Amino acid sequence: MNQQASKLIIITENLLLKKIAKIIDEAGATGYTVVAAGGKGSRNVRSSGNPSVGDSFTNIKIEVLTANRDMAVKISDQVAAKFFDDYSGITYICNAEVLHAHTF
Amino acid sequence: MNQQASKLIIITENLLLKKIAKIIDEAGATGYTVVAAGGKGSRNVRSSGNPSVGDSFTNIKIEVLTANRDMAVKISDQVAAKFFDDYSGITYICNAEVLHAHTF
Amino acid sequence: MNQQASKLIIITENLLLKKIAKIIDEAGATGYTVVAAGGKGSRNVRSSGNPSVGDSFTNIKIEVLTANRDMAVKISDQVAAKFFDDYSGITYICNAEVLHAHTF
């Protein structure tokens, strides 16, 4: 089923997961993967007021494979518009080639 | 040692890790990385019958750097043929350039 | 703000995190993400003398988005020179396109 796809990565604060998952669903993506993450961003503090460096995984990294770049950009635009004024976050895209999946 | 490589990503259920590790080893890959993951796939339920959304990391994301695309495809084909009828899973490839490693 | 970037990935042993974070900071990168990881490398044992396979997440995967390839290579060179004689590790680069971020 080899198929070029876009992989959207969203790194942001844990507490936003449910709201972002809703945006992903509504955009028509078939799924996403979530990983617990720590790190340091350009602000160096999270909205909690606490730094998050390494040991504490208070962030999440969400990965979404989308059939085309437009869907990835659309999700990213909505997430950034809704949350990135108030919360730390970054979104970026990589190219991917899907080999096998149930449905994609 | 800069060297173009393929990065194979396998996202599937935790309980398959050992069997997939064996396939990776036998294909001749020098190593792999495993990360605990949650998420939602196109089936929306895992083989356990329970949904896996965010908070519970019952999935794994396995990453394998391979010297060429053929090895990545071979591993993916075997994993999909053996497990993806019965378990949730997706495999995809990204391009990578290895900078430093013990052996690769 | 769509902007081509390099994504540097460093997979190595957990105990090196603080030292590597310092290298990343000093290179001028605006941030990084850390994820707990397990896996198997070409040496098959970690510096602790214990194998690290799957269940035990004694490694880390650090991801750094850099504005250009040179910064990624510079960080990688320093990390490898300082640590990869004594510790397990691999570094590689992927291409990424940053969509949204606070500052980048």
Side-chain angles (χ1 to χ4, degrees), chain B residues 20-64:
Chain B
I20 292 175
K22 191 159 175 283
I23 292 174
I24 293 170
D25 280 343
E26 290 175 354
T30 52
Y32 57 87
T33 302
V34 185
V35 169
K40 182 185 157 190
S42 54
R43 285 184 176 176
N44 204 7
V45 285
R46 303 301 170 184
S47 62
S48 65
N50 295 318
S52 164
V53 184
D55 289 335
S56 56
F57 294 100
T58 60
N59 293 338
I60 44 171
K61 181 182 169 194
I62 306 173
E63 297 181 341
V64 191

Side-chain angles (χ1 to χ4, degrees), chain A residues 23-102:
Chain A
I23 291 173
I24 293 169
D25 280 343
E26 289 175 355
T30 51
Y32 57 87
T33 301
V34 185
V35 169
K40 183 186 157 190
S42 54
R43 286 184 176 175
N44 203 5
V45 286
R46 304 301 170 185
S47 62
S48 65
N50 295 319
S52 163
V53 184
D55 289 336
S56 57
F57 294 100
T58 59
N59 294 338
I60 44 171
K61 182 182 168 194
I62 306 173
E63 297 180 341
V64 191
L65 285 169
T66 60
N68 54 63
R69 190 181 179 284
D70 284 352
M71 187 189 289
V73 170
K74 184 183 159 193
I75 295 170
S76 174
D77 284 348
Q78 290 187 42
V79 169
K82 276 201 180 175
F83 304 117
F84 284 5
D85 285 342
D86 300 319
Y87 300 94
S88 297
I90 187 168
T91 63
Y92 60 93
I93 290 181
C94 297
N95 292 322
E97 179 194 356
V98 176
L99 296 179
H100 295 96
H102 288 307

